[in-house]
């Protein structure tokens, strides 16, 4: 009943916000005051019911999650490729495929994206990979995580719907991205985090000058609180990027799929290994790949998607291995706090995608996470946060178990910067030696 109430409140908010702009037409699109490019409606992922564009996140018919439906460009794929390639070196090069206004690149935004796709030959040799191995390194975004992509999308939706405060529930990276994006856009921010996050993420989220509220409990406790706030008068005028703006926010993850394929010369990778927190990133990468195929921008051929979790918070991996369709919530206990979501909203959809594509969902323990972080740093000079350690650790485990094909083109995602999670590697990372300032001391330490 509570979920139905939240969905109803969201719909009422949309109806009141669009009254003056005109009602939805028969296709489900809204009046001219909401301009989000090719986006025409919100569609329920479960029952297919359509709703006007607005700050609504759940279907009032079946309570399923909503996602953006489009009228995407048609015609010559080569012309669309050239249009994209001529665009800015950020996610707005893909504006024709995203729920954003046509002039999005001219607005104050943090402009994330087009991060490096690193060909990881040294790592490949270490792991016994004979095909092409790539690291999609999203630590190069403005606040050093992939969350900048999804928040940039949410900011445009917040502008369209007249919100004055940007908010979120966060395991750390999202709070920093919201703080930075709100500051750039001239909006107030108020973000909510668990009380026991890594200090680096707390500082980064706080430095942008918005309100940062630590809540005693897990991320799932924080998320429940935000769901209550959104239905309270205290939350009026607030855009919660991962609640009432979630359908638009989530679309930012598609840009990872777009970039990977463009950077591979407009071709699909054979295998992708993607971290799972809520599961939204993985599902939207799959959506992006399918869109590229439908538009004729890449050749239609099979690809496999693999999900990665930490053993201390592995509800999706546990369900996958048991052959279940339902994901049972867990209480997180892992150093990979950015993935510590015990009740992932998109968990069932992750299971569907892994099974449909012939992939899998696997997990690794904290020791394997640390070892993978150090392996990537040692072989490719990329310092990943703990989520990246999870993804590479799972990649290594899947190769050892014969699940990943070492001869195929594989892309592994690193979604954040290791400087945010120093505590994970600090106990085993330090000076090789401490010596006196003399050549004799240098030689005595065995370094010559």
């Amino acid at each position: 009943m509570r979920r139905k109430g939240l969905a109803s409140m969201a719909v009422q908010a949309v109806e009141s916000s669009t009254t003056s702009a005109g009602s939805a037409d028969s296709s489900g699109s809204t009046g001219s005051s909401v301009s989000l490019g090719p986006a025409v409606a919100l569609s329920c992922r479960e029952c297919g019911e359509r709703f006007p564009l607005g700050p609504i996140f759940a279907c009032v018919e079946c309570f399923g999650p909503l996602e953006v439906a489009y009228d995407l460009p048609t015609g010559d794929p080569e012309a669309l490729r050239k249009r994209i390639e001529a665009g800015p070196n950020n996610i707005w090069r893909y504006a024709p495929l995203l729920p954003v206004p046509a002039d999005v690149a001219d607005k104050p935004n943090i402009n994330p994206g087009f991060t490096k796709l690193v060909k990881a030959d040294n790592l490949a040799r270490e792991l016994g990979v004979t095909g092409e191995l790539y690291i999609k390194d999203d630590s190069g975004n403005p606040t050093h995580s992939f969350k900048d992509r999804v928040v940039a999308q949410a900011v445009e939706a917040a502008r369209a719907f007249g919100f004055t405060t940007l908010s979120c529930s966060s395991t750390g990276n999202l709070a920093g991205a919201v703080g930075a994006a709100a500051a750039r856009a001239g909006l107030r921010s108020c973000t909510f985090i668990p009380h026991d996050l890594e200090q680096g993420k707390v500082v980064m989220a706080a430095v942008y000058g918005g309100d940062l509220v630590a809540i005693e409990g897990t991320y799932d406790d924080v998320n429940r609180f935000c769901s209550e706030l959104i239905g309270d008068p205290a939350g009026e005028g607030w855009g919660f990027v991962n609640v009432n703006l979630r359908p638009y926010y989530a679309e930012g993850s598609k840009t990872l799929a777009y970039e990977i394929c463009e950077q591979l010369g407009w071709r699909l990778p054979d295998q992708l290994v993607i971290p799972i927190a809520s599961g939204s990133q993985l599902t939207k990468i799959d959506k992006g790949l399918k869109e590229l195929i439908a538009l004729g921008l890449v050749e239609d051929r099979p690809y496999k998607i693999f999900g990665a979790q930490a053993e201390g918070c592995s509800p999706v991996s546990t369900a996958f291995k048991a052959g279940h369709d339902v994901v049972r919530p867990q209480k997180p206990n892992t150093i990979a706090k950015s993935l510590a979501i015990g009740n992932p909203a998109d968990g069932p959809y992750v299971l569907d995608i892994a099974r449909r594509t012939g992939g899998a969902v696997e997990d690794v323990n904290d020791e394997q996470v640390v070892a993978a972080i150090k392996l990537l740093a040692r072989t490719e000079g990329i310092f990943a946060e703990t989520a990246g350690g999870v993804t590479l650790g799972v990649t290594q485990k899947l190769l050892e178990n014969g699940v990943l094909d070492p001869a195929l083109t594989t892309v592994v995602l690193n979604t954040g910067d290791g400087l945010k999670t120093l505590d994970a590697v600090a106990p085993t990372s330090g000076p090789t030696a401490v010596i006196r300032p003399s050549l004799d001391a240098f030689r005595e330490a065995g370094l010559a």
Side-chain angles (χ1 to χ4, degrees):
M1 290 301 295
R2 178 175 172 272
R3 188 175 179 185
K4 182 175 181 180
L6 287 172
S8 298
M9 283 188 291
V11 172
Q12 290 165 9
V14 175
E15 290 174 346
S16 63
S17 67
T18 58
T19 298
S20 62
S23 58
D25 63 25
S26 59
S27 69
S29 62
T30 59
S32 60
S33 67
V34 179
S35 176
L36 292 175
V40 294
L42 295 178
S43 177
C44 178
R45 203 184 300 183
E46 291 293 328
C47 72
E49 185 73 16
R50 281 199 164 196
F51 300 90
L53 296 173
I56 172 176
F57 54 96
C59 175
V60 295
E61 298 299 325
C62 72
F63 318 132
L66 301 182
E67 60 181 10
V68 179
Y70 296 94
D71 181 10
L72 290 176
T74 57
D76 181 10
E78 186 59 33
L80 181 56
R81 281 195 204 97
K82 290 180 179 178
R83 180 180 173 186
I84 290 170
E85 291 169 352
N89 288 327
N90 54 54
I91 63 172
W92 307 135
R93 68 198 284 116
Y94 307 109
L97 312 181
L98 297 171
V100 294
D103 62 348
V104 62
D106 299 325
K107 296 187 176 185
N109 201 300
I110 52 176
N111 299 331
F114 221 64
T115 54
K116 293 179 180 179
L117 183 69
V118 179
K119 194 166 187 292
D121 291 339
N122 297 330
L123 178 62
R125 284 192 292 272
E126 187 93 9
L127 297 179
V129 172
T130 56
E132 295 178 347
L133 179 63
Y134 295 89
I135 304 296
K136 180 56 172 172
D137 186 14
D138 242 25
S139 66
N141 278 313
T143 70
H144 308 287
S145 91
F146 96 95
K147 291 295 186 182
D148 289 324
R149 297 175 181 270
V150 290
V151 171
Q153 290 285 152
V155 165
E156 297 310 313
R159 285 189 175 117
F161 304 134
F163 288 124
T164 56
T165 297
L166 211 61
S167 186
C168 69
S169 53
S170 172
T171 56
N173 283 326
L174 182 56
V178 167
R184 174 71 177 138
L187 299 171
R188 179 200 174 201
S189 69
C190 182
T191 58
F192 301 89
I193 58 173
H195 69 286
D196 60 349
L197 286 186
E198 302 97 334
Q199 188 63 18
K201 290 181 180 176
V202 174
V203 171
M204 187 168 193
V207 76
Y208 297 108
D211 293 315
L212 178 67
V213 181
I215 290 180
E216 296 175 358
T218 66
Y219 171 81
D220 297 293
D221 296 319
V222 178
N223 202 38
R224 280 191 293 271
F225 168 79
C226 288
S227 295
E228 294 174 6
L229 181 56
I230 198 173
D232 189 272
E236 185 176 351
W238 288 37
F240 286 82
V241 300
N242 51 350
V243 187
N244 59 349
L245 295 177
R246 187 177 182 85
Y248 313 95
Y249 156 94
E251 293 294 285
S253 290
K254 294 193 310 180
T255 61
L256 280 161
Y258 300 158
E259 287 179 20
I260 288 168
C261 290
E262 182 181 353
Q263 290 169 324
L264 287 175
W266 294 107
R267 62 185 173 97
L268 293 167
D270 299 309
Q271 305 173 137
L272 298 99
V273 188
I274 303 168
I276 298 170
S278 72
S280 176
Q281 182 189 67
L282 186 149
T283 63
K284 289 303 182 286
I285 288 176
D286 178 63
K287 183 180 180 182
L289 296 176
K290 290 192 293 183
E291 287 176 351
L292 292 179
I293 292 170
L295 291 166
L297 294 175
V298 297
E299 179 186 354
D300 184 4
R301 58 186 182 80
Y303 59 87
K304 294 182 179 182
I305 291 183
F306 298 83
Q309 293 203 291
E311 186 179 284
C313 186
S314 55
V316 186
S317 174
T318 300
F320 181 86
K321 293 175 184 178
H324 294 161
D325 296 324
V326 176
V327 176
R328 177 175 292 182
Q330 295 181 358
K331 186 175 182 179
N333 182 23
T334 172
I335 61 172
K337 295 183 185 295
S338 62
L339 304 183
I341 296 180
N343 188 18
D346 280 73
Y349 303 107
V350 169
L351 295 174
D352 291 343
I353 290 167
R355 289 166 178 155
R356 171 175 57 79
T357 64
V361 186
E362 187 54 271
D363 56 79
V364 287
N365 61 38
D366 285 354
E367 290 76 17
Q368 291 169 309
V369 172
V370 173
I373 291 172
K374 298 176 82 168
L375 172 63
L376 183 58
R378 175 171 57 81
T379 57
E380 298 297 341
I382 298 171
F383 186 16
E385 72 157 286
T386 48
V390 168
T391 313
L392 180 56
V394 164
T395 301
Q396 189 169 13
K397 187 174 182 178
L398 292 171
L399 285 165
E400 292 170 353
N401 293 341
V403 180
L404 268 176
D405 189 335
L408 298 180
T409 298
T410 304
V411 176
V412 179
L413 269 66
N414 172 45
T415 52
D417 195 320
L419 291 174
K420 295 184 177 187
T421 57
L422 290 172
D423 290 352
V425 294
T428 56
S429 302
T432 303
V434 178
I435 66 171
R436 302 182 307 278
S438 71
L439 287 173
D440 287 343
F442 179 73
R443 292 189 178 96
E444 288 169 6
L447 299 171

